[in-house]
Amino acid sequence: MTTTAGVATSIRVTPVSASRRREPGTPQPAFGSVFSDHMLVATHRDGQWRDIEIVPYDQLSLSPATSALHYGLAIFEGMKAYRTVDDHLVLFRPQKHSERLNRSCRRVVLPEVPEALFMEGIRELVRLDREWVPPSDEGSLYIRPLLFGADDTLRVKPAASSRFVVMTGPVGGYFSSALNLVTSQEYARAFAGGTGDIKLSGNYGASMLAEKEAQAKGYATMLWLDAKEHLYVEECGVMNVFFVIAGKVVTPNLSGTILPGVTRDSVITILRDLGFSVEERPITITEVIAAHKSGQLTECFGTGTAAAIAHVSAITHEGEELTLPAVGRREIASAALDRLVQIRAGRHPAPEGWLVPI
Ligand code: COI
């Protein structure tokens, strides 16, 4: 076993005896519903990561007292592997995901995952399940690292033992059409001093009722406003949000209640590289409405790993519906998506560190 900085980096691999993979060419399944043959598992105990293994994808055996289940000690990441046009496998910006995972760890006092373990574990896992990565024009392999407190006690305290699990699965698109969003004066996703800027599993649970009520009224998802004044736009659904106002791209700045999305960062970089002006600053729903009234709101879109870029068709705020121009006229979001797709497929040079070979 090799050891780096006290971290066992060698990974025991138990391969499946027969793959469950479907025939190539079958359409990608609904997002997150099919998992590749293997998963990575590791345990943190007594200050060390141990029992690092890649095993056949299977159930986890957990005590009913597992602290993650009771006290929400669970964080995750969402990242992707792509097959380039010349048939190489790459991870998209994995270091960024590793850094963000560890930020999330620090916030909820879970043990950090050393970058070497994160990177090597995921590379080895994807290498083993390489046949599951769809062709570049069909989709990608979604990678879901999950870290949770595994203490077998109901006492409320930081976890003394934790589990790290990484599963993967082939995915196509996340949304099938442009999204109509609705704001809420009642619910909020995040608040100052809270956990909106990390990928805490509970953030998603806390947004479920608002989403359900919005969907019952025919909306696709939420346009989240700040918790205090219900005035500042923060995110949309499970994505960061962008507007195009008078030809300039505007997205909420990372104020502490907003997730620092890797796709958000990539889209900002790409748009600036394409020559567009991108402002990261507070933006109120009042400004969005005024821009719509004056005809200056030409685009709105969400960004995230799962969806990449999702166009927004309409925004409803306190009963008033703002309808946006047809998706066919979304010049800026389409240019960003096109460049992102080209980079991931290896058709356009990637900025340093964006594509990491498997
Ligand atoms: C992602 O875009 O990867 C996300 O984290 C959203 C999700 C919870 C599916």
Side-chain angles (χ1 to χ4, degrees):
M1 177 169 283
T2 51
T3 303
T4 314
V7 177
T9 51
S10 73
I11 300 165
R12 209 170 79 204
V13 178
T14 310
V16 289
S17 45
S19 175
R20 291 180 282 102
R21 194 172 65 90
R22 299 161 318 145
E23 284 309 299
T26 30
Q28 299 316 324
F31 177 89
S33 62
V34 167
F35 303 101
S36 317
D37 286 327
H38 299 91
M39 62 183 189
L40 176 104
V41 289
T43 299
H44 190 275
R45 210 179 326 107
D46 302 328
Q48 258 219 312
W49 284 102
R50 52 187 79 233
D51 305 331
I52 306 165
E53 285 190 78
I54 291 178
V55 292
Y57 180 84
D58 203 354
Q59 314 287 314
L60 299 174
S61 168
L62 297 175
S63 153
T66 300
S67 51
L69 300 177
H70 295 265
Y71 305 126
L73 281 179
I75 56 157
F76 70 95
E77 273 302 310
M79 52 188 278
K80 282 179 172 172
Y82 295 91
R83 192 179 288 282
T84 63
V85 276
D86 51 3
D87 213 21
H88 291 111
L89 297 185
V90 291
L91 295 174
F92 188 74
R93 307 195 74 181
Q95 281 98 350
K96 274 274 198 205
H97 288 283
S98 164
E99 282 162 23
R100 190 172 65 181
L101 181 88
N102 285 333
R103 275 193 55 231
S104 300
C105 288
R106 292 192 289 275
R107 178 63 178 81
V108 293
V109 202
L110 282 169
E112 294 186 32
V113 178
E115 188 176 293
L117 166 55
F118 185 89
M119 297 291 287
E120 266 325 296
I122 290 175
R123 280 166 101 176
E124 192 55 42
L125 182 64
V126 176
R127 213 174 276 139
L128 200 59
D129 282 335
R130 59 190 166 275
E131 300 305 332
W132 287 81
V133 185
S136 76
D137 53 347
E138 283 180 26
S140 55
L141 190 78
Y142 188 74
I143 302 169
R144 171 54 64 87
L146 168 74
L147 176 51
F148 62 91
D151 282 358
D152 189 4
T153 170
L154 297 183
R155 199 175 176 90
V156 180
K157 63 176 186 59
S161 71
S162 308
R163 306 275 297 272
F164 180 52
V165 181
V166 184
M167 63 204 96
T168 76
V171 293
Y174 192 81
F175 296 113
S176 51
S177 53
L179 310 173
N180 60 341
L181 308 179
V182 64
T183 62
S184 171
Q185 293 297 304
E186 188 181 354
Y187 302 115
R189 192 196 79 90
F191 50 88
T195 54
D197 63 342
I198 62 160
K199 252 177 131 53
L200 182 70
S201 302
N203 290 348
Y204 297 77
S207 69
M208 222 52 93
L209 181 59
E211 294 276 342
K212 183 180 170 209
E213 290 181 2
Q215 285 164 12
K217 292 183 190 143
Y219 301 105
T221 187
M222 307 299 299
L223 178 62
W224 294 108
L225 303 179
D226 74 280
K228 200 167 166 205
E229 297 176 77
H230 293 280
L231 178 63
Y232 292 93
V233 174
E234 297 204 325
E235 294 193 15
C236 68
V238 293
M239 296 177 290
N240 293 114
V241 65
F242 288 71
F243 300 91
V244 179
I245 297 177
K248 280 190 185 159
V249 183
V250 186
T251 190
N253 54 310
L254 300 177
S255 57
T257 51
I258 289 163
L259 188 78
V262 176
T263 310
R264 173 189 182 276
D265 183 78
S266 307
V267 164
I268 291 172
T269 304
I270 286 173
L271 287 173
R272 288 187 177 143
D273 191 49
L274 288 169
F276 296 106
S277 150
V278 183
E279 295 175 358
E280 296 175 71
R281 62 167 173 81
I283 173 165
T284 62
I285 188 69
T286 319
E287 178 183 349
V288 173
I289 294 168
H292 180 261
K293 285 214 165 81
S294 65
Q296 294 188 312
L297 177 66
T298 50
E299 301 188 31
C300 174
F301 57 94
T303 64
T305 297
I309 291 181
H311 297 291
V312 171
S313 55
I315 297 169
T316 299
H317 176 67
E318 296 192 311
E320 185 182 356
E321 185 178 53
L322 320 178
T323 306
L324 278 93
V327 165
R329 288 165 45 204
R330 308 292 179 89
E331 191 203 324
I332 296 183
S334 305
L337 181 59
D338 183 60
R339 177 60 64 87
L340 188 60
V341 169
Q342 300 295 323
I343 290 175
R344 294 182 322 205
R347 286 197 184 94
H348 189 277
E352 170 103 30
W354 280 27
L355 298 188
V356 173
I358 295 293

